[in-house]
Amino acid sequence: MSLSLGQPVPDFTAQATGDATITLSDLKGKQVVVYFYPKASTPGCTTEGGDFRDLKQAFDAADTLILGVSRDGIRAQENFKAKQGFNFELISDKDEAVCRLFEVIKLKKLYGKEHLGIERSTFLIDKGGRLAREWRKVKVKGHVDEVLEAAQALHEGK
Protein backbone atom coordinates (compact mmCIF):
# COMPACT_ATOMS: atom_id res chain seq x y z
CA MET A 1 0.00 0.00 0.00
CA SER A 2 1.59 3.26 -0.98
CA LEU A 3 0.78 6.75 0.21
CA SER A 4 -0.62 9.17 -2.31
CA LEU A 5 -1.29 12.88 -2.12
CA GLY A 6 -4.77 13.77 -0.91
CA GLN A 7 -5.31 10.32 0.63
CA PRO A 8 -5.61 9.62 4.37
CA VAL A 9 -2.34 8.59 6.02
CA PRO A 10 -2.83 5.25 7.81
CA ASP A 11 -2.87 5.60 11.58
CA PHE A 12 0.19 4.65 13.58
CA THR A 13 1.26 4.69 17.22
CA ALA A 14 4.92 5.01 18.19
CA GLN A 15 7.13 5.62 21.21
CA ALA A 16 8.60 9.13 21.35
CA THR A 17 10.85 11.25 23.52
CA GLY A 18 9.50 12.81 26.69
CA ASP A 19 7.78 9.52 27.63
CA ALA A 20 5.23 10.25 24.91
CA THR A 21 3.30 7.82 22.81
CA ILE A 22 2.32 9.44 19.53
CA THR A 23 -0.82 8.27 17.73
CA LEU A 24 -1.38 10.02 14.42
CA SER A 25 -5.19 9.98 14.66
CA ASP A 26 -4.95 11.89 17.98
CA LEU A 27 -3.34 14.77 16.07
CA LYS A 28 -6.27 15.42 13.72
CA GLY A 29 -7.13 19.10 13.65
CA LYS A 30 -3.45 20.04 13.46
CA GLN A 31 -1.10 19.91 10.51
CA VAL A 32 1.76 17.49 11.09
CA VAL A 33 5.25 17.38 9.60
CA VAL A 34 6.80 13.92 9.87
CA TYR A 35 10.44 13.96 8.85
CA PHE A 36 12.62 10.87 8.62
CA TYR A 37 16.37 11.04 9.15
CA PRO A 38 18.99 8.27 8.93
CA LYS A 39 20.71 8.51 12.34
CA ALA A 40 20.65 10.66 15.47
CA SER A 41 23.70 12.81 16.21
CA THR A 42 25.16 12.67 12.69
CA PRO A 43 26.03 15.93 10.89
CA GLY A 44 23.20 16.13 8.32
CA CYS A 45 20.58 14.98 10.79
CA THR A 46 21.81 17.48 13.39
CA THR A 47 21.63 20.32 10.85
CA GLU A 48 18.13 19.32 9.67
CA GLY A 49 16.82 18.99 13.23
CA GLY A 50 18.40 22.33 14.14
CA ASP A 51 16.65 23.99 11.20
CA PHE A 52 13.27 22.63 12.39
CA ARG A 53 14.10 23.74 15.95
CA ASP A 54 15.01 27.25 14.82
CA LEU A 55 11.79 27.65 12.81
CA LYS A 56 9.46 25.99 15.33
CA GLN A 57 7.70 29.25 16.26
CA ALA A 58 6.80 29.78 12.60
CA PHE A 59 5.53 26.18 12.35
CA ASP A 60 3.51 26.75 15.54
CA ALA A 61 1.99 29.89 13.99
CA ALA A 62 0.94 27.73 11.02
CA ASP A 63 -0.68 25.25 13.48
CA THR A 64 1.85 22.59 12.45
CA LEU A 65 3.38 19.96 14.73
CA ILE A 66 6.89 18.64 13.97
CA LEU A 67 7.86 14.99 14.53
CA GLY A 68 11.29 13.55 13.72
CA VAL A 69 11.64 9.80 13.10
CA SER A 70 14.62 7.46 12.91
CA ARG A 71 15.42 3.84 13.78
CA ASP A 72 17.47 4.92 16.79
CA GLY A 73 16.44 3.65 20.22
CA ILE A 74 14.58 5.92 22.61
CA ARG A 75 17.71 6.64 24.71
CA ALA A 76 19.65 7.79 21.62
CA GLN A 77 16.68 9.95 20.62
CA GLU A 78 16.41 11.48 24.12
CA ASN A 79 20.16 12.27 24.11
CA PHE A 80 19.98 13.76 20.60
CA LYS A 81 16.97 15.90 21.54
CA ALA A 82 18.57 17.13 24.79
CA LYS A 83 22.01 17.82 23.31
CA GLN A 84 20.56 19.81 20.36
CA GLY A 85 17.81 21.54 22.35
CA PHE A 86 15.11 20.25 20.01
CA ASN A 87 11.69 21.67 20.94
CA PHE A 88 9.68 18.86 19.34
CA GLU A 89 9.42 15.11 19.89
CA LEU A 90 11.49 12.43 18.19
CA ILE A 91 10.01 9.01 17.45
CA SER A 92 12.01 5.82 18.00
CA ASP A 93 11.07 3.45 15.18
CA LYS A 94 13.33 0.48 15.92
CA ASP A 95 10.91 -2.00 14.36
CA GLU A 96 10.62 0.24 11.25
CA ALA A 97 6.81 0.16 11.33
CA VAL A 98 6.47 3.91 10.69
CA CYS A 99 9.34 3.85 8.18
CA ARG A 100 7.62 1.09 6.20
CA LEU A 101 4.29 2.92 6.32
CA PHE A 102 5.92 5.91 4.59
CA GLU A 103 8.16 3.68 2.42
CA VAL A 104 11.41 5.39 3.42
CA ILE A 105 13.57 2.27 3.91
CA LYS A 106 15.74 2.07 0.80
CA LEU A 107 18.81 0.19 -0.35
CA LYS A 108 21.76 2.53 0.17
CA LYS A 109 25.46 2.28 -0.62
CA LEU A 110 28.17 3.34 1.78
CA TYR A 111 31.83 2.70 1.01
CA GLY A 112 30.82 0.20 -1.67
CA LYS A 113 28.66 -1.84 0.72
CA GLU A 114 24.90 -2.03 0.32
CA HIS A 115 22.59 -1.79 3.32
CA LEU A 116 19.00 -0.88 4.05
CA GLY A 117 18.59 2.54 5.60
CA ILE A 118 16.31 5.53 5.87
CA GLU A 119 16.13 7.79 2.85
CA ARG A 120 15.86 11.34 4.22
CA SER A 121 12.21 12.24 3.56
CA THR A 122 9.57 14.65 4.85
CA PHE A 123 5.77 14.47 4.79
CA LEU A 124 3.18 17.18 5.46
CA ILE A 125 -0.18 15.90 6.71
CA ASP A 126 -3.21 18.18 6.66
CA LYS A 127 -5.65 18.78 9.53
CA GLY A 128 -7.88 15.98 8.26
CA GLY A 129 -5.07 13.42 8.33
CA ARG A 130 -4.47 13.40 4.55
CA LEU A 131 -1.09 13.57 2.86
CA ALA A 132 -0.68 17.13 1.57
CA ARG A 133 2.97 17.14 0.41
CA GLU A 134 5.96 14.83 0.34
CA TRP A 135 9.67 15.36 -0.17
CA ARG A 136 11.93 12.37 -0.87
CA LYS A 137 15.71 12.15 -1.27
CA VAL A 138 15.92 15.37 0.70
CA LYS A 139 18.99 17.61 0.59
CA VAL A 140 19.23 19.35 3.98
CA LYS A 141 20.21 22.87 2.87
CA GLY A 142 17.09 25.02 2.49
CA HIS A 143 14.73 22.07 2.95
CA VAL A 144 13.07 23.16 6.20
CA ASP A 145 12.31 26.61 4.71
CA GLU A 146 10.50 24.86 1.85
CA VAL A 147 8.51 22.69 4.28
CA LEU A 148 7.58 25.77 6.31
CA GLU A 149 6.34 27.58 3.18
CA ALA A 150 4.17 24.58 2.29
CA ALA A 151 2.81 24.36 5.87
CA GLN A 152 2.01 28.08 5.89
CA ALA A 153 0.27 27.90 2.50
CA LEU A 154 -1.76 24.88 3.61
CA HIS A 155 -2.70 26.63 6.86
CA GLU A 156 -3.83 29.71 4.95
CA GLY A 157 -5.85 27.56 2.57
CA LYS A 158 -3.75 28.36 -0.50
Side-chain angles (χ1 to χ4, degrees), residues 91-116:
I91 289 174
S92 169
D93 191 32
K94 280 182 88 78
D95 65 0
E96 300 178 359
V98 182
C99 289
R100 282 195 300 273
L101 184 69
F102 286 89
E103 299 173 335
V104 298
I105 299 289
K106 305 288 182 190
L107 194 60
K108 299 167 89 176
K109 267 195 172 139
L110 185 65
Y111 307 119
K113 287 193 168 79
E114 289 187 336
H115 68 284
L116 287 173

Side-chain angles (χ1 to χ4, degrees), residues 35-139:
Y35 81 94
F36 291 85
Y37 57 94
K39 190 158 181 49
S41 302
T42 56
C45 301
T46 300
T47 299
E48 185 179 25
D51 290 348
F52 276 112
R53 175 198 60 218
D54 296 346
L55 291 173
K56 183 170 182 299
Q57 275 188 300
F59 278 100
D60 288 347
D63 203 20
T64 304
L65 208 68
I66 301 163
L67 295 171
V69 183
S70 77
R71 300 184 302 179
D72 294 291
I74 199 68
R75 186 176 293 128
Q77 296 288 50
E78 290 284 7
N79 291 342
F80 188 36
K81 180 183 172 189
K83 186 172 180 196
Q84 300 304 325
F86 292 159
N87 44 12
F88 53 87
E89 301 307 334
L90 301 177
I91 289 174
S92 169
D93 191 32
K94 280 182 88 78
D95 65 0
E96 300 178 359
V98 182
C99 289
R100 282 195 300 273
L101 184 69
F102 286 89
E103 299 173 335
V104 298
I105 299 289
K106 305 288 182 190
L107 194 60
K108 299 167 89 176
K109 267 195 172 139
L110 185 65
Y111 307 119
K113 287 193 168 79
E114 289 187 336
H115 68 284
L116 287 173
I118 291 179
E119 178 180 83
R120 192 181 305 279
S121 307
T122 303
F123 301 86
L124 176 60
I125 301 167
D126 72 15
K127 291 180 180 191
R130 292 176 301 275
L131 185 61
R133 287 282 305 270
E134 66 178 6
W135 294 264
R136 295 186 181 268
K137 296 183 181 167
V138 166
K139 300 285 179 258

